[in-house]
Amino acid sequence: MTGWQALDEFGFDHALVASGDTALVMFGQPACGACRGWYRQLPQWLGDGAVRLFYVDVACAQALANRFELFQLPAFALYRHGEFHCRFAAPFQADAVRAALAAALLAPAEEEP
């Protein structure tokens, strides 16, 4: 089990509202090497279950790529209680990801792009 739940534009908002407290959405695609690395590692780095992980293949969900104005992959969006909280970014390293996530959750919510 990878720990990821796949999303597309049809169930995106509903799934995030139903996700509970904290959700991290990764926008990527299978042909992206960096996306594959993040996809493999994030469930291990955030394996305590406090953050639900969602994956959007932007090649199949281009409407979401447009909605979030994505130009570079992978890209991440952090949600709290079903509401957009912020775009998420961190170096590709376990401690850096956990520290950036903690800091992002303490910061005030931003407006969805």
Side-chain angles (χ1 to χ4, degrees):
M1 175 160 172
T2 64
W4 294 96
Q5 180 179 336
L7 291 178
D8 59 22
E9 55 266 270
F10 304 108
F12 185 83
D13 294 303
H14 176 73
L16 290 167
V17 167
S19 70
D21 186 35
T22 306
L24 185 62
V25 179
M26 178 177 144
F27 299 92
Q29 59 180 319
C32 168
C35 299
R36 289 191 308 268
W38 281 95
Y39 190 88
R40 262 191 316 273
Q41 293 302 124
L42 270 179
Q44 295 171 19
W45 295 344
L46 303 176
D48 63 1
V51 177
R52 299 254 336 251
L53 297 173
F54 293 91
Y55 177 77
V56 174
D57 181 347
V58 297
C60 298
Q62 292 180 352
L64 287 173
N66 291 336
R67 174 177 162 182
F68 283 88
E69 303 170 351
L70 301 178
F71 296 103
Q72 184 175 344
L73 298 175
F76 299 90
L78 184 62
Y79 280 75
R80 298 206 66 195
H81 309 292
E83 301 280 329
F84 179 82
H85 188 71
C86 66
R87 290 183 187 255
F88 177 78
F92 186 70
Q93 193 252 353
D95 292 336
V97 167
R98 287 189 286 266
L101 182 62
L105 291 171
L106 290 173
E110 299 173 2
E111 187 173 317
E112 184 174 324

